[in-house]
Amino acid sequence: MPPPADIVKVAIEWPGALPKLMEIDQKKPLSAIIKEVCDGWSLANHEYFALQHADSSNFYITEKNRNEIKNGTILRLTTSPAQNAHQLHERIQSSSMDAKLEALKDLASLSRDVTFAQEFINLDGISLLTQMVESGTERYQKLQKIMKPCFGDMLSFTLTAFVELMDHGIVSWDTFSVAFIKKIASFVNKSAIDVSILQRSLAILESMVLNSHDLYQKVAQEITIGQLIPHLQGTDQEIQTYTIAVINALFLKAPDEKRQVGVESSVDILDCPLTEMANILAQKQLRSIILTHVIRAQRAINNEMAHQLYVLQVLTFNLLEDRMMTKMDPQDQAQRDIIFELRRIAFDAESEPNNSSGSMEKRKSMYTRDYKKLGFINHVNPAMDFTQTPPGMLALDNMLYFAKHHQDAYIRIVLENSSREDKHECPFGRSSIELTKMLCEILKVGELPSETCNDFHPMFFTHDRSFEEFFCICIQLLNKTWKEMRATSEDFNKVMQVVKEQVMRALTTKPSSLDQFKSKLQNLSYTEILKIRQSERMNQEDFQSRPILELKEKIQPEILELIKQQRLNRLVEGTCFRKLNCRRRQDKFWYCRLSPNHKVLHYGDLEESPQGEVPHDSLQDKLPVADIKAVVTGKDCPHMKEKGALKQNKEVLELAFSILYDSNCQLNFIAPDKHEYCIWTDGLNALLGKDMMSDLTRNDLDTLLSMEIKLRLLDLENIQIPDAPPPIPKEPSNYDFVYDCN
């Protein structure tokens, strides 16, 4: 007979004594259980004790989290959070430097636990730590020079404890003084400082900016680009990541009027406060430093750095949103002059704009004819073409940039099309407007960065005006594709679809430079796109004849069972998931995998992302599959309802799912990518006997069905198909026959 659901069997440790095996009744108050444990070891004053996990987390057991205790869990009897907090509060004020160092080290470790953190904060522990940072730094520096390197560790542990305590969201960031901010900023501004202190200081500044508007203003006054650049020029990728994270946070929180600093500004960016430099990436110096010392450094870019570069890329392109959403004012002479300039460069390159002769009617007629050649929809008043948002004035900006910086290509395209028949001309004006709109959609201009995405493109960091150059390459591609398709005005939308496919396929290869992107597009001609489409159609073709449909219906259950087994095998291998919190940089990892007999989910926290599979025995927590009540996704997940910031992020919502079990208990997930999301939701639904409904299952089913049907339709009479794949042949004795095409 199985044990009652409310009874869990655990082992409990106490220093200097043999561990006890004990059955815990989850219906009994926790204080009664602790008293029973203390009585077993003849320990008085049970109210001064508590239970905590004996693993590396050392988290306290409370009434709120006690339901997470599973059979086989190892617990430890220890002093209560309140006692620990009081003792550490006194120890960190000790006059003995060694005792103080040890106390701060313990505090940094214990502060990760929210129960302890609450008790320490109740003793005004945050204020004590900030006072130690504010008043103890000069003394620390003097003593460090004289004799004791331990003072560097002392400050590092102090800042670590502060970061961990603030991460719990118990104390508002708005409560900190200017003196504390100045002190933290001074650590960042120093040329020589301990790496761990620099890391914590950058993390604190990032959290201040992200969590408080008032602190954003104060931090931005203390930090300049010139003080951050040396950290980007170093070799420590973690420091570089923290530094870019601070820049991203300042960009993200900058008021709109501060974001649009002119790209051609003559201000010295090294001395410019970040409040005035939300457009700083457009400045050559910072961009080139990131390109040289981060992107092109001789080392792999880790996931967190890739995420920060992606965020920086998104925020930079979002600076275009203002122009993208600005309609042209047909009465604004300065804006109309831009259209006049486009006409002058194309048709009057060798003459001055005011040299036109003849009557006003003749000039108007000539302008109308030229505007038609330029491909505007409204020949009489082209300004009306730019009243739609998006792309608004951004399209006109791109056209002017192309005309000025790629003048030969611009003139060639305009004159080439003006010499064709009307129906065969590629209208430059209309094409530029639609292309700008399409590129904004591809790069998601105006959308907030995703919490999980790492999809940055190195080529956008290789030029000061990367979006404009991107446009210039694509408008020439559009003209080339138009000719290859022999398109007419009725084919305009078809051409735009082909161009979008060409651009998207080239971007997926992650070209390292704009020239490499241009080269990729050269290989993606219209003919090549047709070949790719035909190949994909052949792979996905669906025979609609009745015998084929009957055959599909017959073999579909077999294919679905195969997909199901693959999903369950992947769950057995397990996946590393990331724990997201308000300060993304210090994220923790956890691992979850299904037992080989498909009856239990094993999961547990990890210190870092694992290399390969994590053994079952190293994962402390268990969840029987039989206890799972339901699997929910997206907005229905409890952790998506709790986290306001994540709730607004569409991409995170699409990767979120939760397992509901027992009463009001859940296991929350955010998948690393869409593929893993589909694998896990399919696998969990399969375990519960439900249908696998993901896009991945549909694609796999279509692919495998198509392959199976084609195999069965082959003329294989008297041909025996082997059950096992043929053996891999031995390697040749030499490779002289290999020809290197490169």
Side-chain angles (χ1 to χ4, degrees):
M1 182 178 176
D6 295 320
I7 303 297
V8 287
K9 297 180 179 181
V10 299
I12 301 179
E13 299 175 342
W14 172 251
L18 290 173
K20 279 188 174 184
L21 295 177
M22 186 174 177
E23 290 187 353
I24 291 180
D25 185 352
Q26 293 284 36
K27 290 181 179 178
K28 289 176 65 176
L30 190 58
S31 57
I33 295 170
I34 293 171
K35 183 178 185 306
E36 185 181 338
V37 174
C38 290
D39 291 344
W41 274 308
S42 302
L43 299 172
N45 301 320
H46 72 276
E47 63 272 13
Y48 294 155
F49 291 91
L51 292 174
Q52 67 178 178
H53 288 280
D55 58 16
S56 58
S57 70
N58 293 326
F59 287 164
Y60 281 100
I61 304 298
T62 65
E63 291 291 353
K64 288 183 179 179
N65 65 21
R66 62 183 296 177
N67 287 329
E68 296 176 10
I69 303 174
K70 304 301 178 185
N71 284 318
T73 301
I74 301 175
L75 303 178
R76 181 189 300 120
L77 185 66
T78 186
T79 50
S80 69
Q83 282 291 105
N84 241 340
H86 274 95
Q87 291 170 8
L88 280 172
H89 195 270
E90 293 173 2
R91 287 169 57 201
I92 62 176
Q93 299 178 75
S94 170
S95 57
S96 166
M97 289 302 156
D98 290 333
K100 194 169 190 173
L101 176 63
E102 197 62 33
L104 286 167
K105 184 178 180 181
D106 291 342
L107 179 63
S109 175
L110 284 168
S111 295
R112 292 180 299 165
D113 182 83
V114 66
T115 310
F116 169 84
Q118 184 69 69
E119 296 291 344
F120 189 78
I121 289 169
N122 289 344
L123 298 173
D124 211 14
I126 293 283
S127 296
L128 177 60
L129 292 179
T130 55
Q131 288 168 15
M132 290 171 65
V133 172
E134 289 175 23
S135 61
T137 311
E138 288 79 6
R139 184 178 175 222
Y140 138 68
Q141 289 171 336
K142 292 174 184 175
L143 289 172
Q144 187 182 38
K145 290 177 183 177
I146 298 172
M147 57 179 184
K148 289 203 172 187
C150 72
F151 285 98
D153 294 334
M154 191 178 294
L155 182 57
S156 175
F157 288 135
T158 305
L159 294 176
T160 302
F162 175 84
V163 168
E164 296 291 353
L165 290 168
M166 291 303 299
D167 253 3
H168 297 297
I170 300 169
V171 178
S172 169
W173 283 92
D174 288 310
T175 58
F176 298 108
S177 66
V178 174
F180 179 70
I181 297 169
K182 285 179 178 290
K183 193 64 68 175
I184 297 297
S186 71
F187 301 146
V188 174
N189 295 340
K190 282 185 173 60
S191 57
I193 190 84
D194 183 80
V195 170
S196 61
I197 295 172
L198 180 57
Q199 286 178 356
R200 306 300 184 274
S201 300
L202 288 166
I204 290 169
L205 291 178
E206 183 197 5
S207 293
M208 284 179 172
V209 172
L210 291 176
N211 290 285
S212 168
H213 176 72
D214 290 340
L215 291 187
Y216 156 76
Q217 301 283 359
K218 295 169 184 174
V219 170
Q221 290 170 5
E222 299 297 325
I223 302 294
T224 66
I225 293 298
Q227 291 152 345
L228 289 175
I229 279 179
H231 303 316
L232 292 174
Q233 291 174 316
T235 56
D236 188 321
Q237 187 171 121
E238 194 168 357
I239 292 296
Q240 292 174 326
T241 305
Y242 279 81
T243 304
I244 296 178
V246 171
I247 295 173
N248 286 339
L250 286 159
F251 284 158
L252 195 60
K253 295 298 179 180
D256 290 341
E257 65 271 15
K258 303 294 186 183
R259 295 187 181 182
Q260 301 301 331
V261 178
V263 174
E264 305 294 338
S265 173
S266 60
V267 178
D268 184 352
I269 69 164
L270 292 181
D271 299 322
C272 192
L274 277 165
T275 48
E276 303 297 333
M277 294 305 296
N279 196 12
I280 196 65
L281 189 68
Q283 304 289 341
K284 184 174 182 179
Q285 190 171 6
L286 181 59
R287 178 196 58 76
S288 62
I289 285 169
I290 291 174
L291 180 66
T292 304
H293 296 279
V294 178
I295 297 175
R296 291 183 176 170
Q298 298 300 310
R299 61 174 180 270
I301 292 177
N302 62 36
N303 286 340
E304 190 54 43
M305 174 60 85
H307 172 75
Q308 293 302 335
L309 290 171
Y310 152 79
V311 172
L312 195 52
Q313 173 185 293
V314 171
L315 295 178
T316 305
F317 285 138
N318 281 356
L319 296 174
L320 303 168
E321 184 183 10
D322 183 59
R323 295 293 283 173
M324 180 181 78
M325 301 307 295
T326 300
K327 294 181 180 181
M328 185 171 184
D329 180 2
Q331 307 305 318
D332 189 320
Q333 188 58 41
Q335 295 179 0
R336 291 169 63 87
D337 286 345
I338 298 175
I339 297 176
F340 293 150
E341 182 68 5
L342 289 173
R343 180 201 161 277
R344 185 195 68 78
I345 294 173
F347 303 114
D348 298 328
E350 297 180 359
S351 63
E352 293 298 319
N354 294 326
N355 281 352
S356 301
S357 58
S359 66
M360 183 64 71
E361 284 73 18
K362 284 185 179 180
R363 288 177 60 190
K364 282 185 178 180
S365 174
M366 179 177 65
Y367 281 7
T368 301
R369 182 196 67 210
D370 290 346
Y371 291 149
K372 183 180 179 182
K373 290 179 181 179
L374 279 170
F376 290 113
I377 296 173
N378 192 319
H379 308 151
V380 177
N381 186 5
M384 299 303 297
D385 287 13
F386 300 96
T387 55
Q388 180 188 356
T389 58
M393 287 296 292
L394 184 60
L396 188 58
D397 295 343
N398 284 338
M399 293 167 71
L400 183 63
Y401 181 91
F402 181 50
K404 284 188 171 183
H405 294 83
H406 299 269
Q407 193 172 111
D408 291 343
Y410 167 69
I411 293 173
R412 186 184 71 251
I413 287 176
V414 172
L415 296 183
E416 209 175 71
N417 286 293
S418 63
S419 63
R420 293 181 189 155
E421 292 181 52
D422 285 352
K423 68 174 185 177
H424 282 290
E425 70 174 356
C426 176
F428 173 73
R430 182 185 176 192
S431 299
S432 298
I433 293 168
E434 289 301 319
L435 180 64
T436 300
K437 182 179 178 181
M438 185 184 82
L439 297 183
C440 288
E441 290 173 357
I442 290 174
L443 298 177
K444 299 181 179 178
V445 174
E447 293 186 20
L448 285 175
S450 161
E451 295 279 350
T452 58
C453 186
N454 302 332
D455 188 25
F456 82 98
H457 294 277
M459 73 177 192
F460 291 128
F461 291 85
T462 62
H463 200 283
D464 299 334
R465 306 288 292 274
S466 59
F467 184 81
E468 289 87 343
E469 288 293 323
F470 185 45
F471 168 84
C472 294
I473 293 170
C474 292
I475 192 66
Q476 293 177 73
L477 168 72
L478 193 154
N479 191 63
K480 173 175 169 283
T481 302
W482 184 283
K483 289 188 290 185
E484 290 173 348
M485 293 177 66
R486 298 180 180 177
T488 63
S489 54
E490 289 81 9
D491 301 319
F492 185 86
N493 290 334
K494 292 180 182 177
V495 176
M496 293 303 298
Q497 289 172 5
V498 173
V499 170
K500 184 174 183 177
E501 187 172 346
Q502 290 170 314
V503 172
M504 294 289 286
R505 289 185 183 277
L507 284 177
T508 55
T509 65
K510 293 292 179 71
S512 60
S513 66
L514 290 164
D515 286 338
Q516 197 176 91
F517 174 69
K518 193 185 300 183
S519 176
K520 298 283 184 187
L521 290 176
Q522 290 294 329
N523 297 326
L524 284 170
S525 63
Y526 176 58
T527 306
E528 185 62 26
I529 291 292
L530 287 179
K531 288 179 182 177
I532 293 171
R533 286 179 174 180
Q534 185 177 4
S535 173
E536 290 176 350
R537 248 193 323 267
M538 288 178 65
N539 291 334
Q540 298 172 4
E541 67 182 356
D542 184 16
F543 302 109
Q544 295 299 319
S545 64
R546 185 174 174 182
I548 298 299
L549 292 175
E550 289 177 356
L551 179 59
K552 281 180 65 176
E553 191 175 337
K554 181 180 178 181
I555 63 178
Q556 183 166 317
E558 181 185 334
I559 300 296
L560 282 171
E561 183 61 27
L562 183 66
I563 294 171
K564 175 183 172 182
Q565 290 305 317
Q566 187 272 340
R567 300 293 192 265
L568 294 177
N569 289 341
R570 277 289 291 106
L571 264 61
V572 170
E573 291 175 14
T575 301
C576 178
F577 296 93
R578 187 185 290 273
K579 287 186 174 180
L580 289 179
N581 56 24
C582 61
R583 185 172 47 83
R584 192 182 190 276
R585 250 130 303 331
Q586 291 293 326
D587 290 347
K588 303 293 188 293
F589 297 93
W590 69 290
Y591 200 87
C592 187
R593 63 181 300 182
L594 181 65
S595 63
N597 63 4
H598 300 173
K599 291 186 177 181
V600 178
L601 282 172
H602 299 262
Y603 62 97
D605 292 340
L606 302 174
E607 291 300 320
E608 56 185 1
S609 183
Q611 302 297 322
E613 291 183 20
V614 175
H616 291 98
D617 51 13
S618 66
L619 301 173
Q620 300 296 326
D621 299 310
K622 299 177 183 178
L623 172 60
V625 172
D627 291 351
I628 298 177
K629 306 298 183 188
V631 176
V632 294
T633 60
K635 292 181 179 179
D636 296 327
C637 296
H639 57 316
M640 292 295 101
K641 294 176 182 176
E642 293 168 4
K643 291 185 176 290
L646 295 181
K647 189 177 177 183
Q648 315 245 341
N649 194 306
K650 182 181 176 184
E651 199 155 344
V652 172
L653 280 174
E654 291 176 349
L655 298 176
F657 61 99
S658 297
I659 296 174
L660 307 183
Y661 64 96
D662 292 342
S663 57
N664 298 323
C665 294
Q666 67 268 341
L667 194 58
N668 298 320
F669 299 76
I670 295 178
D673 52 48
K674 191 67 176 177
H675 182 268
E676 287 296 322
Y677 169 85
C678 293
I679 290 287
W680 274 85
T681 52
D682 283 344
L684 292 170
N685 281 323
L687 286 172
L688 298 178
K690 297 181 179 179
D691 292 337
M692 299 178 292
M693 305 298 293
S694 74
D695 294 339
L696 185 62
T697 292
R698 284 195 290 272
N699 292 337
D700 287 350
L701 181 62
D702 290 343
T703 302
L704 292 171
L705 270 176
S706 178
M707 289 172 60
E708 185 66 21
I709 288 172
K710 287 174 182 177
L711 275 174
R712 295 195 182 200
L713 293 178
L714 287 174
D715 185 10
L716 299 177
E717 190 176 353
N718 300 323
I719 298 176
Q720 186 175 1
I721 299 176
D723 293 329
I728 299 173
K730 293 180 180 179
E731 290 192 18
S733 57
N734 64 69
Y735 292 87
D736 294 344
F737 57 87
V738 174
Y739 177 73
D740 188 357
C741 297
N742 298 323

